[in-house]
Amino acid sequence: MAIEATVSSPGPSELPAPARKDFYWVRSFVAGGVAGCCAKTTIAPLDRVKILLQGQNPHYKHLGVFAALRAVPKKEGFLGLYKGNGAMMVRVFPYGAIQFMSFERYKKMLRKKFGISGHVHRLMAGSMAGITAVICTYPLDVVRVRLAFQFKGEHRYSGIIHAFKTIYRTEGGFSGFYRGLTPTIIGMAPYAGFSFFTFGTLKSVGLAHAPGLLGKPSSDNPEVLVLKTHVNLLCGGIAGAIAQTISYPLDVARRRMQLGGSLPDSDRCLSLSKTLKHVYVQYGIRRGLYRGLSINYIRCIPSQAVAFTTYELMRQVLYLN
C-alpha cells in the first residue's frame, strides 16, 4: 500500500540488512496481526455494546448506545465491557494478519496476471482479502459473539473452549460454527473493499498532490513516501465510516444468525433473506436494520484509523517498504 516517490536517499545497497525480502510474507503477516489487535482493543467496549443492541439483548434492548455503555459496568462490572475480548484477540490477530497480507498479494496478482490496476484493483483486492480472512477465522468470531452476548449470572458458556465444545455438540458439529457465513461474506466484500479502496485512494491522491504537506520519507526506505501519522488516522477513519455505512444492514443480519439459539426468534433467522425480512418487519429500518449504527460510527472510525495507521507503522518497523 506504499506510494513510491522519488526523494534523495541512500541506494538499495545501503539499506539495512533486514530490508531484504527474506521472510517478507511472515513479516507482513505479523504487521497485519498487530494492526488488527491494536484496532480491536481500542474499541472493545463499543463492540460489546453493539453486539448487545444488535441482538436485542433483553437486559439492554430498551437502552441507547451511551445508556448501554453506562449500564454494562453497573450490572456486570467494568470488565463486562470487555466480555468476549479474549476470544476476540485470538481471532483478530490471524484475521488482521490474513487480511492485510492477502490484500498485498491479491493486489499484485490482479496487476501482474490480469492487468488490473489503479483504483479498481484496490477495491477488488480489498474485497477478496476480506472474504479470505473471514472464511479462515469465522468459527472464532462465532464463539466471540456468543461470549459477548452473555449476561452476568446467565452464562451458557464458561469460556472459549467450553463454547467450542457446546456449539459443536448441540448445533450440528462444524456447521454450527459457520452459521451466518453467507451474509458475513456478502457484507465483508463491500466493507473490506471500500475500506481499502477509500484509504488507498486518499493516500495516493494526497501524496500525489501534496507530498510535502501530507507525506514523509519512510523510516525503512527513504525512497518510499508515506503519510504522516495524523493524516493516516484521518484517512483510516474516513475509510471506516464509508465502508460501514454501505454494509451495516448485512452486519446486523450476520450477528443475528451467529447468535443462533441465544435468541428466542432464531427459527426466523435461518438465511440471509429471511433474517433481513424478519428484522425489517419486526423492528423496521431505524430500530432494526440500522439499530446500533450510531455506535458503529463511533467504533469504526477509531478502529479503522488505528488499524491502517498501525499497519503503516509496522511496515516501516519490519522493513516492508
Side-chain angles (χ1 to χ4, degrees), residues 143-207:
V143 170
R144 194 266 302 187
V145 170
R146 297 290 181 90
L147 292 175
F149 190 68
Q150 295 183 127
F151 183 75
K152 185 176 182 179
E154 299 178 4
H155 287 189
R156 182 180 180 185
Y157 312 107
S158 59
I160 298 174
I161 302 301
H162 181 250
F164 268 108
K165 291 180 179 179
T166 303
I167 294 172
Y168 180 82
R169 186 178 64 254
T170 62
E171 298 186 33
F174 287 109
S175 62
F177 294 107
Y178 285 92
R179 184 172 183 174
L181 179 61
T182 299
T184 301
I185 290 177
I186 294 174
M188 182 52 65
Y191 172 73
F194 278 101
S195 183
F196 279 105
F197 166 80
T198 303
F199 180 81
T201 300
L202 290 174
K203 178 179 179 180
S204 62
V205 171
L207 291 179

Side-chain angles (χ1 to χ4, degrees), residues 1-2 24-39 96-105 107 196 199 203 218 220 226 232-233 303-321:
M1 294 169 65
Y24 179 87
W25 296 115
V26 174
R27 289 181 279 127
S28 180
F29 187 88
V30 172
V34 172
C37 288
C38 289
I98 293 170
Q99 180 174 241
F100 278 103
M101 182 181 71
S102 60
F103 172 73
E104 300 290 351
R105 301 204 69 170
K107 195 168 62 170
F196 279 105
F199 180 81
K203 178 179 179 180
S218 174
D220 64 318
V226 298
N232 255 325
L233 289 168
S303 174
Q304 288 299 90
V306 171
F308 279 112
T309 302
T310 304
Y311 181 67
E312 292 291 303
L313 175 62
M314 291 301 296
R315 285 183 61 85
Q316 297 178 60
V317 172
L318 297 176
Y319 296 94
L320 292 171
N321 288 321

